[in-house]
Structure formats: structure tokens, C-alpha cells
Amino acid sequence: MKPPITISVTGAAGQIGYALLFRIASGSMFGPDQPVNLRLLEIEPGMKALQGVIMELEDCAFPLLNEVTATSDLDVGFSGANWALLVGSVPRGPGMERGDLLKVNGGIFTGQGKAIAANAADDIRVLVVGNPCNTNALIAMNNASGIPNDRFFAMTRLDENRAKSQLADKAGVHNSDVTNLCIWGNHSATQYPDYTNAKINGQPVPSVISDADWLQGEFIQTVQQRGAAIIEARGASSAASAANGVVDTVRSLTTPTADGDWTSVAVCSDGSYGIDAGLIASMPIKVDADGRWDVVPGVELDEFSREKVDATVQELRDEREAVADLL
């Protein structure tokens, strides 16, 4: 067995946290030979529920689960963390504008960024899941003095998985047959699931699915609105699929990308593809054998795609402006 690594999870007693913790402890995220220490963060009103979650973790007797700490103290929660999974955030309430949501969560992620910088391990990596995740990651990154910007990510893998599933269903193939699917921009209703560069069994999607109206209309809208559709259907937001997206994201960032393929995750832009340097935006990413990630160069964007990417990037600019005082 390897030495244990420490994983901090915020919002640990919430729906996504509950679905996620057992995947981490079982080895789904870091592999069957990697013991883990869990540092579980909750706000005070959630601590009782968190104790129940810990009881269940204990009752599973996971061989890889080395240690569990429950806390509402950020310094304790991020102490020695190798990965920080920032799942918890304040949801949008009745009558709340997006700008209000950004401000409320901005205060939370400001404090978390500072606490991560002060307490985490030298190799810390941070994945933000709590929405609006791109801008929450931007706030945390800008308040985590001394931590390189390339250690911060926001999750769009759930959207990628949703898009692959829709394309596979339309083409009558398995979702594993769909590759090179990138989500561009913001994890919001403006995100762009890029079917123009995606492939099905190695063939360009438009050559397999000839229904251009579906691809440019219903497909994109279904992916963009999938979260709302799930809320309408089950009366609660995505939880298990979101947790699965977290697992997939971390595994993709810690294992080499298959030759010729790429994955989606929001990273700190270096200016590629006309996306402002410093924005946290989703782009096609590949990871090498040494665990280094890079933006995939040379992905062509036709006029339709360029308009979609520009629109979602503009939304990210607007969000950055709304929280400028926190950066």
C-alpha cells in the first residue's frame, strides 16, 4: 500500500457529498492501492448529519479508509490536504439574482481559498463543484496566495458525460464510443457542448449523426438544461451523477489521457482560443504520463462554435466583473 493521501471535502453531508464520500473511500477515485484520510467540512447546522455519514463510512469497513475528521473549522478541514473538493455552496433561493448568488458564495470561497493556502499540503489541487463553480474557483484561486493557478479546477465533466450520453443514444452506440467531446466555457446554461470536434467510433459526429438541426438545437439545449430537467423530474438537484463527475474529473487529472483524446475541465486560461487569460473556463485538456495537464492546441472552431464559445466566455467576464472586489 502507498502512504495515505488527505482529501478535504466541503459540504460533506450534502447530497453530492454523501454520494461522493463512499466512492472516494472505496478506491474509485484514486485506485485500489491508495489509502485516504478524509477531512470532512460542514457548517455547524450540518454537523449532526455529518456524524451519521461518518457512522455509515465506519460501517462499510473500507480497507482504504485510514482516517476521518469531521469539522466546521476551515484550518482543521484543509490541514495537510493533497486534494480539496469544494462541493458545498449556497444554492440559489427564491427571488435571488445570479449576481446575489455570486456575492454570497464569494465570501465563502474567499475564506476557503485563504485557508487552503495557509494549511494544505505543498502539492494541493483544488476542484470546485459548488455553483457557480467557475467563478467560485476564480475567487478561491485569487485568494490562495502562493498556490499556482494551475492547481485550480472547476467541474464540467458532468456536462461532458451528459453530452456523450445524448450523442450515443442518438447514434445507437455505447457512450464509450464517443470521444473528443469538449464542454467550452461556463458550467451554466451558456456552456457549449462541442459536437463539431467530437467523434463516434473515430468518425466525426456530423458524419454519423446527419440531423444538423438536432445537433445545433435539441442536443445543445438538452445538455445545457439537463440539471433543471432532473430537478423537475425528481424534485432535487443532480447528486449521484455530480459525484460521479467529481470522480471522473480527478481520475482524468491523475492518469494519462488516451492518445488523441481529451477531456473537459475548467482551468485558468492562458489566453488560448481567445479566452481571457485568468478566467476559469472549460477547454479541451490532456494529461501526460507525469501528471501535467495542458490545453489541447489546434482544435478548430467553425463559425457556429465560435459564436457559442464567445457567448459563454462573455458570461464569465460578466461574472468576474460582479465579484471584482473579491479578487
Side-chain angles (χ1 to χ4, degrees), residues 11 25-26 34 37 66 81 84 102 110 131 141 146 159 165 179 204 222 224 248 250 274 279 299 321 324 327:
S26 68
Q34 180 59 71
N37 299 323
N66 184 64
L102 287 165
T110 295
N131 287 317
M141 180 184 74
D159 307 303
S165 178
T179 61
T222 297
Q224 290 175 335
D248 285 349
V250 174
L279 283 179
V299 177
E321 181 63 27
L327 303 179

Side-chain angles (χ1 to χ4, degrees), residues 75-322:
D75 292 331
V76 175
F78 294 120
S79 178
N82 304 106
W83 275 90
L85 308 177
L86 308 186
V87 176
S89 65
V90 175
R92 191 167 178 170
M96 182 181 287
E97 299 295 332
R98 189 172 180 85
D100 299 328
L101 184 66
L102 287 165
K103 288 287 188 182
V104 170
N105 280 300
I108 295 171
F109 286 85
T110 295
Q112 291 182 357
K114 291 177 178 177
I116 290 168
N119 298 282
D122 291 342
D123 65 347
I124 181 65
R125 283 188 272 183
V126 181
L127 174 62
V128 179
V129 181
N131 287 317
C133 63
N134 292 60
T135 298
N136 287 341
L138 181 71
I139 293 167
M141 180 184 74
N142 278 277
N143 283 277
S145 178
I147 299 177
N149 289 351
D150 65 2
R151 305 281 190 84
F152 287 84
F153 310 92
M155 189 176 79
T156 53
R157 182 57 174 270
L158 173 57
D159 307 303
E160 178 188 326
N161 289 344
R162 288 167 168 170
K164 285 182 173 179
S165 178
Q166 293 297 315
L167 291 174
D169 184 63
K170 183 72 170 179
V173 300
H174 192 266
N175 59 68
S176 61
D177 296 325
V178 183
T179 61
N180 301 89
L181 193 292
C182 175
I183 301 295
W184 293 90
N186 201 5
H187 173 64
S188 74
T190 68
Q191 65 177 269
Y192 174 50
D194 182 6
Y195 69 88
T196 67
N197 287 291
K199 297 177 182 179
I200 296 175
N201 287 317
Q203 300 300 311
V205 163
S207 71
V208 179
I209 300 173
S210 59
D211 189 344
D213 289 341
W214 180 84
L215 286 169
Q216 294 189 358
E218 184 180 339
F219 163 66
I220 293 174
Q221 292 161 12
T222 297
V223 177
Q224 290 175 335
Q225 301 294 331
R226 187 68 164 185
I230 289 171
I231 291 173
E232 174 66 24
R234 70 183 291 260
S237 59
S238 307
S241 59
N244 183 72
V246 178
V247 173
D248 285 349
T249 301
V250 174
R251 286 193 66 79
S252 290
L253 288 170
T254 53
T255 56
T257 308
D259 288 345
D261 201 0
W262 54 67
T263 189
S264 304
V265 64
V267 299
C268 183
S269 173
D270 62 358
S272 298
Y273 297 104
I275 299 172
D276 306 20
L279 283 179
I280 299 286
S282 186
M283 289 180 274
I285 301 298
K286 62 180 179 181
V287 178
D288 66 20
D290 295 321
R292 293 189 298 264
W293 66 263
D294 286 295
V295 177
V296 177
V299 177
E300 294 186 8
L301 295 172
D302 61 17
E303 183 178 356
F304 177 83
S305 298
R306 185 72 257 177
E307 289 179 0
K308 294 295 186 182
V309 172
D310 288 347
T312 191
V313 170
Q314 184 57 50
E315 183 179 53
L316 287 171
R317 294 187 187 114
D318 294 342
E319 291 187 8
R320 178 180 59 187
E321 181 63 27

